[in-house]
Amino acid sequence: MGTATARNGSTATAWRNWAGNVTATPTRVVTPASVGELQEAVRRAAEDGLRVKAVGTGHSFTAAAATDGVLVRPQALAGIRSLDRAAGTVTVAAGTALKDLNRALAAEGLSLTNMGDIMEQTVSGATSTGTHGTGRDSASIAAQIRALELVTADGELLTCSEKENPEVFAAARVGIGALGIVSAITFAVEPLFFLTAREEPMGFDRVTAEFEEHFAENEHFEFYWFPHTGNCNTKRNNRSQGPAAPPGPVSAWVEDELLSNGLFQAVNSLGRAVPATIPSIARVASRALSARTYTDIPYKVFTSPRRVRFVEMEYALPREAVVEALRELRAMVDRSGLRISFPVEVRTAPADDIALSTASGRDTAYIAVHMYKGTPYQAYFTAAEHIFTAHGGRPHWGKVHTRDAEYFSRVYPRFGEFTALRDRLDPDRVFGNDYLRRVLGA
């Protein structure tokens, strides 16, 4: 990878995201150890005529954090700042990894209400792009924010909540890095609880016919469909009294290795080398699953390790449209020559009140499509995107898509509210980049 010399004499190395599909060579990289240093970094960038972007762990598949200017690594801004048990809130620095937050909260007998299925991201990176799990009543991680600190384009520190700068709070919880750099976040938390997970293989036709029933009966319902088969794996997570009863070693191995990591890596490598083997592999893998039930604290049920690298597209659809869209996706795969080795993931979220949240103002279901790293994905993603956009879908801000500001102005009723706020907070586009120019306009 190439290098660039920074103004302070240090060397800025080319940055690459987790999936390896996005690279950038910034003029300099800064790692502020305090909010004051972050403010100074933003002021200096503006003085030097450089754009500035913060990057977490690079788990976005888009170029949302890419810059040729100043790249801010916030990992030194980490840890819990304060815990208010009476208010049910925790304030954490922006560079805190979700896994560290989850473990620290558990040690205090607390938890977030809902979370996504990986926890490697920083809290600011995850919320800024709209990271979510699945939930009937509980929404994305950003929807659990009660306040945040934002360093604006002039280096000022803005505190935002429903009572303080509420118009900024309404937008900045999912800000895509366009409004400023988040320096701290206050989340709602609750006493630690147990979840019982029930995983069960189920036919595609049954799970789609019964989708609304499964959604209504479970606090957290999701399923995976294996392309080239009629097989799915369903997962229902519901609160329980406990005690903890984690998966046994064999069951854990099947989930961890067959579906997520070592063995999954091997079969994907084979599929990439010999695509004709993929349908057979999918049939064998999907039949290897068996029903299992286990109970544990939330982050041990919601999240799992993901070592196999991939590229992903995910669209948020009106919940009532998801079954039809999924059936159209299956028909498209069946009639195409595509060979898809990754399962398709379906999750849900209730409507929220964040301007550019993918669930803004509507009950939502998500369809995520993946391809193994290094496998051509454009044909599959293009065909899938055509289906999703026909249903008014909104792409995840951190995952592959081709939509632009004109499209977003149609599918987000509050799009103009967000762009007007951006014009006020960052008129000179200190936090701009090519991706934001495409999705938000010039």
Side-chain angles (χ1 to χ4, degrees), residues 14-25:
W15 169 81
R16 184 181 300 272
N17 70 340
W18 178 82
N21 67 313
V22 177
T23 58
T25 304

Side-chain angles (χ1 to χ4, degrees), residues 52-114:
V52 57
K53 301 299 297 179
V55 63
T57 55
H59 269 75
S60 288
F61 302 92
T62 63
T67 187
D68 57 2
V70 177
L71 192 71
V72 175
R73 308 299 301 254
Q75 280 79 355
L77 297 172
I80 291 178
R81 281 196 192 174
S82 63
L83 195 59
D84 187 334
R85 292 180 184 275
T89 60
V90 63
T91 300
V92 294
T96 308
L98 281 167
K99 61 184 177 184
D100 296 331
L101 173 61
N102 286 334
R103 289 165 185 157
L105 287 175
E108 295 286 347
L110 299 167
S111 178
L112 295 172
T113 298
N114 200 357

Side-chain angles (χ1 to χ4, degrees), residues 195 207 217 301 320 373 380 421:
L195 286 171
V207 75
E217 291 176 354
V301 173
E320 63 272 13
K373 181 185 175 183
Y380 177 37
L421 182 64

